């Protein structure tokens, strides 16, 4: 058990280091119901670097982040028209409040991609991505999208299209921080991850306006060097990427027989009694003698080892609950109580709370992006009114110097 405690301490120390950086997508909700920290989420599992931006906009990490071409075990269900809420954190394990620094101003968007199997590897990077939401600067409120997310406790809520074909999807929230984009070299900072989702839908539509990620933007695009600190006050932000998909438009129908209406992959195991991220602790085998008791105790410990070893940036807090349960099984064996297993109910972690309400992100009419609307390609430019003073070449007001990010993968400094 000492090894497991040491692993837990290493996770905590690494999470502390990660929290000195930027932001990361850690968990999501479907119609206000929590899926759980890291559950069904592809994210950077290099804990000290979990909140770092993408190293290069031409690399495969642009699709679902570092490690993003590797699927996770679980796939979460959602319905057509569901509200999905993506949660971003500065501290991936949620041990301290905060989502993104005030300096990290910029646009946000959400993309989807239909795949044969959301949990499969090597299906993120490449063609097939379409946009279902975007917002950049809101002239009416004077806020960038990232600041609206920060004001909403790190949460971005969008509505899924109502007519998409059912089946497996990757859903990709994207934040772009522009505070270092106009420096030399330019450093636009993308923060992305992917939710693995099975869409329950009777729709038969697939969007036609799709792009390849990476490939949908490059460093020659003016958005990548846009200066949020520049004078004069009135600037023009050039949007990038495909038009935003609107239910009922810009579509093609697929044959009903190719529509997937029942999820068979990535389901929560029926005998799962406790979870941490994408790990599940399953019911121990029944026993009525000493040999069976210690065999069950060994099975419990094996599961515990897997829980700790698979724990990522969001932490191993529920593994500790399972560890306590395993200790109770072992103690019962030691005291001669060979009938079991005991109930795990008294060791269950506190369930994550549902959202009491969501603030559905709907771009204002004074904003170039539009959820549920379509725009010509290339997307239109729009004016941005900003009163921020220049951050200079070596500092960012309210934030820190960043020497990492999307322009060539320079070494990332904390901040």
């Amino acid at each position: 058990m000492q090894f497991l405690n040491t692993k837990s301490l290493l996770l905590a120390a690494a999470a502390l280091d990660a929290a000195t950086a930027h932001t990361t997508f850690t968990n999501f909700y479907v119609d206000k119901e929590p899926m759980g920290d890291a559950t069904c989420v592809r994210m950077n599992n290099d804990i000290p670097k979990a909140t770092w931006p993408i190293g290069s906009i031409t690399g495969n990490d642009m699709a679902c982040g570092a490690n993003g071409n590797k699927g996770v075990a679980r796939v979460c269900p959602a319905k057509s028209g569901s509200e999905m809420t993506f949660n971003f954190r500065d501290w991936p394990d949620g041990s301290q409040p905060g989502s993104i620094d005030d300096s990290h101003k910029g646009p946000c968007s959400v993309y989807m991609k239909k795949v044969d199997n959301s949990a499969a590897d090597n299906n993120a990077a490449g063609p097939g991505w379409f946009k279902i939401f975007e917002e950049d600067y809101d002239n009416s409120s004077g806020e960038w999208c990232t600041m609206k997310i920060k004001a909403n406790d790190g949460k971005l809520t969008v509505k899924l299209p109502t007519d998409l074909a059912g089946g497996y999807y990757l859903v990709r929230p994207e934040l772009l921080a522009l505070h270092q984009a106009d420096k030399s070299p330019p450093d636009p900072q993308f923060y992305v991850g992917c939710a693995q989702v099975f869409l329950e839908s009777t729709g038969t539509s697939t969007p036609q306006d799709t792009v390849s990620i990476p490939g949908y933007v490059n460093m020659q695009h003016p958005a990548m060097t846009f200066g949020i600190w520049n004078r004069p006050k009135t600037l023009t932000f050039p949007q990038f990427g495909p038009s935003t998909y609107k239910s009922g438009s810009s579509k093609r129908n697929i044959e009903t027989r190719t529509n997937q209406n029942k999820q068979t992959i990535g389901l929560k195991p029926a005998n799962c009694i406790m979870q941490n991220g994408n790990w599940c602790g399953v019911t121990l085998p029944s026993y009525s003698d000493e040999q069976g008791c210690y065999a069950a105790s060994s099975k419990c410990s094996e599961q515990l080892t897997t829980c700790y070893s698979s724990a990522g940036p969001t932490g191993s807090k529920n593994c500790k609950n399972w560890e306590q349960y395993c200790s109770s099984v072992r103690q019962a064996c030691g005291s001669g109580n060979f009938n079991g297993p005991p109930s795990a109910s008294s060791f269950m972690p506190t369930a994550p709370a549902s959202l009491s309400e969501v603030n559905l992100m709907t771009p204002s009419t004074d904003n170039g992006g539009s959820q549920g609307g379509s725009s010509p390609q290339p997307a239109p430019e729009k004016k941005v009114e900003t009163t921020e003073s220049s951050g200079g070449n070596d500092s960012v007001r309210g934030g820190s110097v960043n020497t990492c990010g999307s322009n060539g993968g320079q070494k990332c400094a904390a901040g």
Side-chain angles (χ1 to χ4, degrees), residues 36-335:
D37 280 7
T39 305
C40 306
V41 174
R42 298 188 184 191
M43 62 187 302
N44 187 353
N45 283 319
D46 186 349
I47 298 174
K49 300 178 182 179
T51 61
W52 286 11
I54 301 304
S56 170
I57 66 174
T58 61
N60 286 346
D61 288 354
M62 272 293 282
C64 289
N67 311 124
N69 248 356
K70 183 173 180 58
V72 296
R74 293 285 306 282
V75 177
C76 292
K79 294 179 172 62
S80 60
S82 283
E83 292 177 348
M84 282 191 69
T85 301
F86 307 95
N87 195 34
F88 285 82
R89 295 175 181 163
D90 188 16
W91 295 75
D93 63 354
S95 59
Q96 294 195 36
S99 57
I100 190 168
D101 190 82
D102 284 336
S103 68
H104 286 40
K105 294 175 171 62
C108 54
S109 57
V110 178
Y111 287 75
M112 295 180 69
K113 179 180 182 177
K114 195 173 191 303
V115 293
D116 292 333
N117 175 0
S118 299
D121 296 342
N122 303 315
N123 59 4
W129 290 97
F130 58 95
K131 187 189 297 181
I132 65 168
F133 169 87
E134 72 173 350
E135 180 172 355
D136 38 64
Y137 187 83
D138 184 348
N139 281 317
S140 61
S141 67
E143 292 180 299
W144 286 92
C145 184
T146 55
M147 292 301 97
K148 289 185 177 183
I149 293 173
K150 178 181 175 68
N152 196 34
D153 194 29
K155 294 177 176 60
L156 167 63
T157 300
V158 302
K159 190 170 184 176
L160 299 180
T162 58
D163 64 345
L164 293 178
Y168 297 95
Y169 286 84
L170 299 177
V171 188
R172 173 186 178 270
E174 170 190 285
L175 307 187
L176 170 57
L178 295 168
H179 56 295
Q180 292 285 301
D182 63 342
K183 303 303 183 283
S184 182
D187 185 21
Q189 297 183 7
F190 282 88
Y191 300 90
V192 303
C194 285
Q196 298 183 171
V197 168
F198 180 84
L199 184 66
E200 300 171 2
S201 173
T202 58
T204 58
S205 298
T206 57
Q208 290 181 307
D209 192 0
T210 63
V211 295
S212 178
I213 302 179
Y216 73 122
V217 69
N218 56 48
M219 288 302 298
Q220 285 66 53
H221 195 286
M224 299 300 98
T225 54
F226 184 80
I228 61 173
W229 312 109
N230 289 351
R231 300 283 184 167
K233 293 181 180 180
T234 300
L235 305 174
T236 301
F237 183 76
Q239 299 172 0
F240 60 95
S243 59
T244 304
Y245 179 72
K246 178 182 179 182
S247 296
S249 67
S250 184
K251 69 178 184 180
R252 63 181 176 88
N253 291 326
I254 61 174
E255 296 182 26
T256 302
R257 63 182 173 84
T258 66
N259 199 10
Q260 298 166 304
N261 291 314
K262 184 177 180 180
Q263 180 179 355
T264 58
I265 299 169
L267 294 164
K268 181 178 179 179
N271 59 348
C272 177
I273 56 177
M274 193 180 300
Q275 67 180 52
N276 189 82
N278 295 285
W279 169 88
C280 264
V282 300
T283 306
L284 300 178
S286 298
Y287 53 86
S288 58
D289 56 27
E290 182 176 8
Q291 182 179 0
C293 187
Y294 280 105
S297 176
S298 177
K299 289 289 185 183
C300 197
S301 296
E302 289 174 6
Q303 293 188 60
L304 179 60
T305 300
T306 303
C307 185
Y308 276 116
S309 63
S310 64
T314 56
S316 58
K317 48 186 175 291
N318 291 358
C319 301
K320 297 177 177 64
N321 293 74
W322 188 259
E323 183 172 3
Q324 293 170 2
Y325 174 57
C326 292
S327 295
S328 74
V329 174
R330 188 171 59 256
Q331 290 168 6
C333 296
S335 64

Side-chain angles (χ1 to χ4, degrees), residues 29-40:
Y29 302 74
V30 177
D31 295 324
K32 302 180 183 178
E33 293 304 312
M35 300 297 103
D37 280 7
T39 305
C40 306

